[in-house]
Amino acid sequence: MADLVKGKEPFRFYTRLHLSELTGLRASTLGQLLELIKTAPEACIYHHTHRFLQQHQYLSPEPPNDFAYWVSQVLGEDKLGEELASIDTVEYPSLKELREKIASTIEKYLAEDQFAKLRFARAGEEFHFIKSISFVVPTKHLVYSLEEFVEALRLVTLDSLYFHIFEARLRLMRGSNDFSNWIENSIGDRNLGRLIAKLDPYTYTLDALRNTIINIIKKRMPDKNG
């Protein structure tokens, strides 16, 4: 393993500044919600499937889905709410595919329950579409080896971790998280990269995710005392 520790290219840690912006789009019925899910900017789909994780990243490992919550709590469609909540975000490599899964789930439900089209949200309880805007900026952390990577990962903010794990995969469509890509392609350790890629980040708090990744890498690093 010792000959694989140094990377061919360095890894630069980035972080992001996050803003939420109202779009003016709103839905009162399932039909309206479906049409807007199909046509709203991808930044809206991202916001409403990742909002809780972004805003409460220290508190909860599994962010609720805004669509599922509104369908259940406002329209009273508990069965559909459960189906939307059960969509496993990590299975979808792009926001396009995640959007299609959410839309097809609602379409199927509407086809099976004609009365669902008739239910309206009360005034003031409409679903308002919000889009997530990120400004990505570099940090001072530039690393060339796994040892340096681990030390930097201990120091970077949770926003940096969030960017490289969640936004890189879904919003930038890099296929996997940035850490796995660098470890596979620059360090040359495909097995280690895939171990990290196989993690389901939605089942961890960000702090726990950081510690898990560090521990996985440390187990693969050569023993300096050996």
Side-chain angles (χ1 to χ4, degrees):
M1 177 63 194
D3 60 332
L4 298 179
V5 172
K6 280 287 186 179
K8 292 181 291 186
E9 300 292 336
F11 184 90
R12 169 75 71 179
F13 282 87
Y14 286 80
T15 189
R16 50 125 213 186
L17 306 174
H18 173 256
L19 292 176
S20 297
E21 181 179 289
L22 279 168
T23 63
L25 304 173
R26 63 178 182 176
S28 298
T29 67
L30 270 182
Q32 292 172 358
L33 182 71
L34 174 60
E35 290 309 308
L36 288 174
I37 286 173
K38 288 180 176 180
T39 58
E42 284 188 347
C44 292
I45 305 302
Y46 186 82
H47 175 86
H48 292 297
T49 53
H50 290 73
R51 175 187 63 83
F52 193 84
L53 182 59
Q54 293 183 93
Q55 295 178 356
H56 303 278
Q57 52 197 3
Y58 295 93
L59 304 179
S60 175
E62 294 188 75
N65 179 311
D66 283 349
F67 303 122
Y69 180 87
W70 185 77
V71 163
S72 297
Q73 300 300 315
V74 175
L75 295 185
E77 300 288 352
D78 292 336
K79 182 175 182 294
L80 176 59
E82 290 175 4
E83 291 176 2
L84 292 173
S86 69
I87 293 174
D88 191 355
T89 307
V90 78
E91 292 184 4
Y92 300 92
S94 70
L95 288 170
K96 177 179 181 292
E97 290 171 272
L98 180 58
R99 181 208 298 269
E100 289 172 352
K101 176 59 178 178
I102 294 170
S104 66
T105 300
I106 298 174
E107 281 181 326
K108 183 174 181 291
Y109 186 83
L110 284 171
E112 295 173 351
D113 184 351
Q114 298 298 315
F115 292 105
K117 299 178 181 179
L118 305 177
R119 297 187 176 94
F120 284 77
R122 292 183 291 272
E125 294 186 350
E126 300 89 352
F127 190 98
H128 292 267
F129 279 76
I130 298 171
K131 66 180 179 180
S132 178
I133 302 172
S134 291
F135 301 93
V136 180
V137 293
T139 73
K140 65 180 182 180
H141 299 287
L142 181 69
V143 301
Y144 291 85
S145 68
L146 288 177
E147 291 89 345
E148 293 173 349
F149 182 89
V150 166
E151 290 308 308
L153 186 53
R154 297 183 195 276
L155 298 174
V156 296
T157 65
L158 292 179
D159 278 319
S160 179
L161 176 66
Y162 183 96
F163 169 76
H164 288 295
I165 292 292
F166 295 94
E167 297 211 356
R169 187 182 74 86
L170 265 182
R171 302 192 80 176
L172 302 181
M173 294 191 296
R174 291 175 179 166
S176 183
N177 66 78
D178 284 343
F179 301 159
S180 292
N181 283 332
W182 180 72
I183 289 170
E184 282 196 45
N185 299 317
S186 184
I187 294 294
D189 192 334
R190 182 174 298 178
N191 290 334
L192 178 56
R194 288 180 177 177
L195 275 176
I196 296 172
K198 286 181 180 178
L199 292 174
D200 183 349
Y202 296 95
T203 61
Y204 296 85
T205 62
L206 289 178
D207 267 327
L209 181 62
R210 185 208 306 263
N211 292 333
T212 298
I213 294 171
I214 287 173
N215 288 334
I216 289 173
I217 295 174
K218 286 180 67 178
K219 288 179 181 178
R220 301 282 295 185
M221 287 163 53
D223 186 352
K224 294 180 180 179
N225 299 318

